[in-house]
PDB file of all heavy atoms in Angstrom:
ATOM      1  N   VAL T1499       0.846  -1.229   0.008  1.00 98.00           N
ATOM      2  CA  VAL T1499       0.013  -0.023   0.024  1.00 98.00           C
ATOM      3  C   VAL T1499       0.890   1.242   0.011  1.00 98.00           C
ATOM      4  O   VAL T1499       1.698   1.447   0.915  1.00 98.00           O
ATOM      5  CB  VAL T1499      -0.915   0.001   1.244  1.00 98.00           C
ATOM      6  CG1 VAL T1499      -1.735   1.343   1.283  1.00 98.00           C
ATOM      7  CG2 VAL T1499      -1.876  -1.187   1.204  1.00 98.00           C
ATOM      8  N   GLU T1500       0.728   2.068  -1.058  1.00 98.00           N
ATOM      9  CA  GLU T1500       1.502   3.275  -1.108  1.00 98.00           C
ATOM     10  C   GLU T1500       0.733   4.544  -0.715  1.00 98.00           C
ATOM     11  O   GLU T1500       1.332   5.500  -0.203  1.00 98.00           O
ATOM     12  CB  GLU T1500       2.084   3.472  -2.539  1.00 98.00           C
ATOM     13  CG  GLU T1500       3.166   2.529  -2.909  1.00 98.00           C
ATOM     14  CD  GLU T1500       4.289   3.162  -3.675  1.00 98.00           C
ATOM     15  OE1 GLU T1500       4.032   4.209  -4.331  1.00 98.00           O
ATOM     16  OE2 GLU T1500       5.415   2.614  -3.650  1.00 98.00           O
ATOM     17  N   ARG T1501      -0.581   4.505  -0.928  1.00 98.00           N
ATOM     18  CA  ARG T1501      -1.439   5.583  -0.550  1.00 98.00           C
ATOM     19  C   ARG T1501      -2.749   5.003  -0.046  1.00 98.00           C
ATOM     20  O   ARG T1501      -3.236   4.009  -0.559  1.00 98.00           O
ATOM     21  CB  ARG T1501      -1.661   6.603  -1.651  1.00 98.00           C
ATOM     22  CG  ARG T1501      -0.419   7.367  -2.086  1.00 98.00           C
ATOM     23  CD  ARG T1501      -0.762   8.409  -3.146  1.00 98.00           C
ATOM     24  NE  ARG T1501      -1.756   9.399  -2.644  1.00 98.00           N
ATOM     25  CZ  ARG T1501      -2.353  10.288  -3.379  1.00 98.00           C
ATOM     26  NH1 ARG T1501      -2.069  10.361  -4.659  1.00 98.00           N
ATOM     27  NH2 ARG T1501      -3.201  11.144  -2.848  1.00 98.00           N
ATOM     28  N   ALA T1502      -3.379   5.686   0.914  1.00 98.00           N
ATOM     29  CA  ALA T1502      -4.689   5.227   1.426  1.00 98.00           C
ATOM     30  C   ALA T1502      -5.608   6.436   1.545  1.00 98.00           C
ATOM     31  O   ALA T1502      -5.220   7.507   1.980  1.00 98.00           O
ATOM     32  CB  ALA T1502      -4.500   4.605   2.810  1.00 98.00           C
ATOM     33  N   GLY T1503      -6.859   6.200   1.096  1.00 98.00           N
ATOM     34  CA  GLY T1503      -7.881   7.269   1.173  1.00 98.00           C
ATOM     35  C   GLY T1503      -8.240   7.576   2.618  1.00 98.00           C
ATOM     36  O   GLY T1503      -7.981   6.765   3.524  1.00 98.00           O
ATOM     37  N   ALA T1504      -8.887   8.701   2.784  1.00 97.00           N
ATOM     38  CA  ALA T1504      -9.243   9.194   4.173  1.00 97.00           C
ATOM     39  C   ALA T1504     -10.146   8.268   4.922  1.00 97.00           C
ATOM     40  O   ALA T1504     -10.101   8.302   6.154  1.00 97.00           O
ATOM     41  CB  ALA T1504      -9.831  10.553   4.049  1.00 97.00           C
ATOM     42  N   LEU T1505     -10.907   7.432   4.271  1.00 98.00           N
ATOM     43  CA  LEU T1505     -11.868   6.602   4.956  1.00 98.00           C
ATOM     44  C   LEU T1505     -11.286   5.188   5.229  1.00 98.00           C
ATOM     45  O   LEU T1505     -11.973   4.343   5.847  1.00 98.00           O
ATOM     46  CB  LEU T1505     -13.134   6.441   4.150  1.00 98.00           C
ATOM     47  CG  LEU T1505     -13.933   7.733   3.870  1.00 98.00           C
ATOM     48  CD1 LEU T1505     -15.171   7.446   3.029  1.00 98.00           C
ATOM     49  CD2 LEU T1505     -14.310   8.429   5.160  1.00 98.00           C
ATOM     50  N   VAL T1506     -10.093   4.909   4.803  1.00 98.00           N
ATOM     51  CA  VAL T1506      -9.490   3.572   4.945  1.00 98.00           C
ATOM     52  C   VAL T1506      -9.006   3.425   6.382  1.00 98.00           C
ATOM     53  O   VAL T1506      -8.172   4.176   6.885  1.00 98.00           O
ATOM     54  CB  VAL T1506      -8.389   3.322   3.929  1.00 98.00           C
ATOM     55  CG1 VAL T1506      -7.696   1.973   4.219  1.00 98.00           C
ATOM     56  CG2 VAL T1506      -8.921   3.363   2.514  1.00 98.00           C
ATOM     57  N   ARG T1507      -9.504   2.378   7.042  1.00 94.00           N
ATOM     58  CA  ARG T1507      -9.052   2.057   8.445  1.00 94.00           C
ATOM     59  C   ARG T1507      -8.462   0.611   8.502  1.00 94.00           C
ATOM     60  O   ARG T1507      -7.769   0.331   9.492  1.00 94.00           O
ATOM     61  CB  ARG T1507     -10.222   2.151   9.401  1.00 94.00           C
ATOM     62  CG  ARG T1507     -10.834   3.559   9.434  1.00 94.00           C
ATOM     63  CD  ARG T1507      -9.927   4.570  10.172  1.00 94.00           C
ATOM     64  NE  ARG T1507     -10.584   5.875  10.310  1.00 94.00           N
ATOM     65  CZ  ARG T1507     -10.477   6.817   9.392  1.00 94.00           C
ATOM     66  NH1 ARG T1507      -9.773   6.614   8.275  1.00 94.00           N
ATOM     67  NH2 ARG T1507     -11.073   7.981   9.547  1.00 94.00           N
ATOM     68  N   HIS T1508      -8.777  -0.209   7.567  1.00 91.00           N
ATOM     69  CA  HIS T1508      -8.463  -1.596   7.648  1.00 91.00           C
ATOM     70  C   HIS T1508      -6.976  -1.866   7.459  1.00 91.00           C
ATOM     71  O   HIS T1508      -6.397  -2.773   8.066  1.00 91.00           O
ATOM     72  CB  HIS T1508      -9.293  -2.364   6.591  1.00 91.00           C
ATOM     73  CG  HIS T1508      -8.949  -3.807   6.462  1.00 91.00           C
ATOM     74  ND1 HIS T1508      -9.035  -4.694   7.543  1.00 91.00           N
ATOM     75  CD2 HIS T1508      -8.610  -4.603   5.383  1.00 91.00           C
ATOM     76  CE1 HIS T1508      -8.747  -5.882   7.142  1.00 91.00           C
ATOM     77  NE2 HIS T1508      -8.487  -5.848   5.855  1.00 91.00           N
ATOM     78  N   VAL T1509      -6.312  -1.055   6.623  1.00 97.00           N
ATOM     79  CA  VAL T1509      -4.862  -1.267   6.341  1.00 97.00           C
ATOM     80  C   VAL T1509      -4.213   0.136   6.337  1.00 97.00           C
ATOM     81  O   VAL T1509      -4.889   1.166   6.288  1.00 97.00           O
ATOM     82  CB  VAL T1509      -4.652  -1.953   5.007  1.00 97.00           C
ATOM     83  CG1 VAL T1509      -5.098  -3.399   5.063  1.00 97.00           C
ATOM     84  CG2 VAL T1509      -5.298  -1.249   3.855  1.00 97.00           C
ATOM     85  N   GLN T1510      -2.865   0.103   6.380  1.00 97.00           N
ATOM     86  CA  GLN T1510      -2.098   1.325   6.427  1.00 97.00           C
ATOM     87  C   GLN T1510      -1.048   1.348   5.327  1.00 97.00           C
ATOM     88  O   GLN T1510      -0.709   0.290   4.747  1.00 97.00           O
ATOM     89  CB  GLN T1510      -1.393   1.479   7.767  1.00 97.00           C
ATOM     90  CG  GLN T1510      -2.350   1.550   8.963  1.00 97.00           C
ATOM     91  CD  GLN T1510      -1.647   1.645  10.289  1.00 97.00           C
ATOM     92  OE1 GLN T1510      -0.424   1.299  10.358  1.00 97.00           O
ATOM     93  NE2 GLN T1510      -2.267   2.088  11.322  1.00 97.00           N
ATOM     94  N   VAL T1511      -0.544   2.545   5.013  1.00 98.00           N
ATOM     95  CA  VAL T1511       0.542   2.647   4.076  1.00 98.00           C
ATOM     96  C   VAL T1511       1.728   1.767   4.575  1.00 98.00           C
ATOM     97  O   VAL T1511       2.055   1.806   5.772  1.00 98.00           O
ATOM     98  CB  VAL T1511       0.983   4.110   3.935  1.00 98.00           C
ATOM     99  CG1 VAL T1511       2.297   4.249   3.155  1.00 98.00           C
ATOM    100  CG2 VAL T1511      -0.142   4.962   3.323  1.00 98.00           C
ATOM    101  N   GLY T1512       2.293   1.032   3.668  1.00 98.00           N
ATOM    102  CA  GLY T1512       3.421   0.156   3.996  1.00 98.00           C
ATOM    103  C   GLY T1512       2.994  -1.317   4.195  1.00 98.00           C
ATOM    104  O   GLY T1512       3.861  -2.207   4.218  1.00 98.00           O
ATOM    105  N   ASP T1513       1.703  -1.551   4.335  1.00 98.00           N
ATOM    106  CA  ASP T1513       1.239  -2.952   4.523  1.00 98.00           C
ATOM    107  C   ASP T1513       1.274  -3.719   3.174  1.00 98.00           C
ATOM    108  O   ASP T1513       0.990  -3.109   2.095  1.00 98.00           O
ATOM    109  CB  ASP T1513      -0.206  -2.998   5.014  1.00 98.00           C
ATOM    110  CG  ASP T1513      -0.342  -2.552   6.460  1.00 98.00           C
ATOM    111  OD1 ASP T1513       0.695  -2.411   7.145  1.00 98.00           O
ATOM    112  OD2 ASP T1513      -1.469  -2.357   6.941  1.00 98.00           O
ATOM    113  N   ARG T1514       1.632  -4.980   3.264  1.00 98.00           N
ATOM    114  CA  ARG T1514       1.519  -5.816   2.048  1.00 98.00           C
ATOM    115  C   ARG T1514       0.140  -6.465   2.072  1.00 98.00           C
ATOM    116  O   ARG T1514      -0.279  -7.018   3.090  1.00 98.00           O
ATOM    117  CB  ARG T1514       2.623  -6.923   2.073  1.00 98.00           C
ATOM    118  CG  ARG T1514       2.479  -7.881   0.865  1.00 98.00           C
ATOM    119  CD  ARG T1514       3.696  -8.816   0.752  1.00 98.00           C
ATOM    120  NE  ARG T1514       4.861  -8.057   0.264  1.00 98.00           N
ATOM    121  CZ  ARG T1514       5.992  -7.897   0.908  1.00 98.00           C
ATOM    122  NH1 ARG T1514       6.111  -8.424   2.136  1.00 98.00           N
ATOM    123  NH2 ARG T1514       6.960  -7.216   0.390  1.00 98.00           N
ATOM    124  N   VAL T1515      -0.552  -6.359   0.926  1.00 98.00           N
ATOM    125  CA  VAL T1515      -1.928  -6.822   0.862  1.00 98.00           C
ATOM    126  C   VAL T1515      -2.167  -7.614  -0.463  1.00 98.00           C
ATOM    127  O   VAL T1515      -1.375  -7.486  -1.441  1.00 98.00           O
ATOM    128  CB  VAL T1515      -2.928  -5.673   0.889  1.00 98.00           C
ATOM    129  CG1 VAL T1515      -2.848  -4.930   2.222  1.00 98.00           C
ATOM    130  CG2 VAL T1515      -2.759  -4.700  -0.270  1.00 98.00           C
ATOM    131  N   ALA T1516      -3.205  -8.359  -0.462  1.00 98.00           N
ATOM    132  CA  ALA T1516      -3.645  -9.079  -1.697  1.00 98.00           C
ATOM    133  C   ALA T1516      -4.910  -8.452  -2.245  1.00 98.00           C
ATOM    134  O   ALA T1516      -5.810  -8.047  -1.444  1.00 98.00           O
ATOM    135  CB  ALA T1516      -3.918 -10.534  -1.350  1.00 98.00           C
ATOM    136  N   ILE T1517      -4.985  -8.372  -3.538  1.00 98.00           N
ATOM    137  CA  ILE T1517      -6.198  -7.912  -4.249  1.00 98.00           C
ATOM    138  C   ILE T1517      -6.817  -9.149  -4.910  1.00 98.00           C
ATOM    139  O   ILE T1517      -6.395  -9.612  -5.953  1.00 98.00           O
ATOM    140  CB  ILE T1517      -5.854  -6.850  -5.314  1.00 98.00           C
ATOM    141  CG1 ILE T1517      -5.134  -5.666  -4.683  1.00 98.00           C
ATOM    142  CG2 ILE T1517      -7.126  -6.398  -6.034  1.00 98.00           C
ATOM    143  CD1 ILE T1517      -4.626  -4.641  -5.696  1.00 98.00           C
ATOM    144  N   PRO T1518      -7.853  -9.711  -4.257  1.00 98.00           N
ATOM    145  CA  PRO T1518      -8.463 -10.957  -4.842  1.00 98.00           C
ATOM    146  C   PRO T1518      -9.594 -10.656  -5.801  1.00 98.00           C
ATOM    147  O   PRO T1518      -9.880  -9.471  -6.098  1.00 98.00           O
ATOM    148  CB  PRO T1518      -9.018 -11.616  -3.534  1.00 98.00           C
ATOM    149  CG  PRO T1518      -9.366 -10.471  -2.659  1.00 98.00           C
ATOM    150  CD  PRO T1518      -8.404  -9.338  -2.981  1.00 98.00           C
ATOM    151  N   TRP T1519     -10.256 -11.703  -6.243  1.00 98.00           N
ATOM    152  CA  TRP T1519     -11.358 -11.622  -7.184  1.00 98.00           C
ATOM    153  C   TRP T1519     -12.489 -10.729  -6.680  1.00 98.00           C
ATOM    154  O   TRP T1519     -13.017  -9.914  -7.429  1.00 98.00           O
ATOM    155  CB  TRP T1519     -11.875 -13.053  -7.465  1.00 98.00           C
ATOM    156  CG  TRP T1519     -13.147 -13.142  -8.274  1.00 98.00           C
ATOM    157  CD1 TRP T1519     -14.364 -13.485  -7.801  1.00 98.00           C
ATOM    158  CD2 TRP T1519     -13.306 -12.893  -9.679  1.00 98.00           C
ATOM    159  NE1 TRP T1519     -15.278 -13.486  -8.837  1.00 98.00           N
ATOM    160  CE2 TRP T1519     -14.667 -13.081 -10.015  1.00 98.00           C
ATOM    161  CE3 TRP T1519     -12.462 -12.476 -10.689  1.00 98.00           C
ATOM    162  CZ2 TRP T1519     -15.168 -12.962 -11.297  1.00 98.00           C
ATOM    163  CZ3 TRP T1519     -12.936 -12.318 -11.996  1.00 98.00           C
ATOM    164  CH2 TRP T1519     -14.275 -12.556 -12.264  1.00 98.00           C
ATOM    165  N   LEU T1520     -12.872 -10.848  -5.408  1.00 98.00           N
ATOM    166  CA  LEU T1520     -13.889 -10.076  -4.835  1.00 98.00           C
ATOM    167  C   LEU T1520     -13.370  -8.653  -4.571  1.00 98.00           C
ATOM    168  O   LEU T1520     -12.783  -8.403  -3.513  1.00 98.00           O
ATOM    169  CB  LEU T1520     -14.469 -10.680  -3.549  1.00 98.00           C
ATOM    170  CG  LEU T1520     -15.691  -9.951  -2.947  1.00 98.00           C
ATOM    171  CD1 LEU T1520     -16.909 -10.100  -3.863  1.00 98.00           C
ATOM    172  CD2 LEU T1520     -15.968 -10.452  -1.550  1.00 98.00           C
ATOM    173  N   ALA T1521     -13.614  -7.743  -5.502  1.00 98.00           N
ATOM    174  CA  ALA T1521     -13.099  -6.362  -5.333  1.00 98.00           C
ATOM    175  C   ALA T1521     -13.905  -5.654  -4.266  1.00 98.00           C
ATOM    176  O   ALA T1521     -13.296  -4.904  -3.450  1.00 98.00           O
ATOM    177  CB  ALA T1521     -13.199  -5.633  -6.646  1.00 98.00           C
ATOM    178  N   ASP T1522     -15.185  -5.867  -4.226  1.00 98.00           N
ATOM    179  CA  ASP T1522     -16.048  -5.306  -3.165  1.00 98.00           C
ATOM    180  C   ASP T1522     -17.425  -5.910  -3.292  1.00 98.00           C
ATOM    181  O   ASP T1522     -17.792  -6.492  -4.320  1.00 98.00           O
ATOM    182  CB  ASP T1522     -16.108  -3.773  -3.155  1.00 98.00           C
ATOM    183  CG  ASP T1522     -16.707  -3.210  -4.418  1.00 98.00           C
ATOM    184  OD1 ASP T1522     -17.894  -3.442  -4.638  1.00 98.00           O
ATOM    185  OD2 ASP T1522     -15.998  -2.483  -5.122  1.00 98.00           O
ATOM    186  N   ALA T1523     -18.204  -5.763  -2.215  1.00 98.00           N
ATOM    187  CA  ALA T1523     -19.613  -6.212  -2.227  1.00 98.00           C
ATOM    188  C   ALA T1523     -20.420  -5.158  -1.464  1.00 98.00           C
ATOM    189  O   ALA T1523     -19.843  -4.218  -0.892  1.00 98.00           O
ATOM    190  CB  ALA T1523     -19.729  -7.591  -1.576  1.00 98.00           C
ATOM    191  N   CYS T1524     -21.740  -5.325  -1.409  1.00 97.00           N
ATOM    192  CA  CYS T1524     -22.584  -4.301  -0.800  1.00 97.00           C
ATOM    193  C   CYS T1524     -22.409  -4.267   0.728  1.00 97.00           C
ATOM    194  O   CYS T1524     -22.570  -3.215   1.320  1.00 97.00           O
ATOM    195  CB  CYS T1524     -24.021  -4.473  -1.225  1.00 97.00           C
ATOM    196  SG  CYS T1524     -24.893  -5.783  -0.277  1.00 97.00           S
ATOM    197  N   GLY T1525     -22.109  -5.401   1.341  1.00 96.00           N
ATOM    198  CA  GLY T1525     -21.943  -5.453   2.773  1.00 96.00           C
ATOM    199  C   GLY T1525     -23.235  -5.475   3.579  1.00 96.00           C
ATOM    200  O   GLY T1525     -23.191  -5.523   4.818  1.00 96.00           O
ATOM    201  N   ARG T1526     -24.391  -5.445   2.916  1.00 97.00           N
ATOM    202  CA  ARG T1526     -25.656  -5.320   3.628  1.00 97.00           C
ATOM    203  C   ARG T1526     -26.653  -6.417   3.300  1.00 97.00           C
ATOM    204  O   ARG T1526     -27.575  -6.660   4.042  1.00 97.00           O
ATOM    205  CB  ARG T1526     -26.330  -3.973   3.285  1.00 97.00           C
ATOM    206  CG  ARG T1526     -25.498  -2.761   3.706  1.00 97.00           C
ATOM    207  CD  ARG T1526     -26.171  -1.472   3.346  1.00 97.00           C
ATOM    208  NE  ARG T1526     -26.409  -1.356   1.893  1.00 97.00           N
ATOM    209  CZ  ARG T1526     -25.508  -0.953   1.031  1.00 97.00           C
ATOM    210  NH1 ARG T1526     -24.301  -0.604   1.450  1.00 97.00           N
ATOM    211  NH2 ARG T1526     -25.803  -0.890  -0.279  1.00 97.00           N
ATOM    212  N   CYS T1527     -26.542  -7.043   2.126  1.00 98.00           N
ATOM    213  CA  CYS T1527     -27.528  -8.077   1.766  1.00 98.00           C
ATOM    214  C   CYS T1527     -27.399  -9.296   2.600  1.00 98.00           C
ATOM    215  O   CYS T1527     -26.461  -9.487   3.419  1.00 98.00           O
ATOM    216  CB  CYS T1527     -27.344  -8.428   0.249  1.00 98.00           C
ATOM    217  SG  CYS T1527     -25.835  -9.323  -0.093  1.00 98.00           S
TER     218      CYS T1527
END
C-alpha cells in the first residue's frame, strides 16, 4: 500500500496486501 484514502481504516501505508477476485460487495444483503 503506497497511498490510502481518508476513509480507509483496515490497512495502512506500507502494509503488504492481496487484491483478490472479490473487489467489493454491498456489505448489507
Side-chain angles (χ1 to χ4, degrees):
V1499 175
E1500 288 221 337
R1501 293 185 60 189
L1505 299 180
V1506 174
R1507 299 288 184 270
H1508 176 55
V1509 292
Q1510 299 178 341
V1511 171
D1513 288 351
R1514 176 170 287 118
V1515 298
I1517 303 175
W1519 171 251
L1520 185 68
D1522 64 62
C1524 79
R1526 298 179 302 276
C1527 69

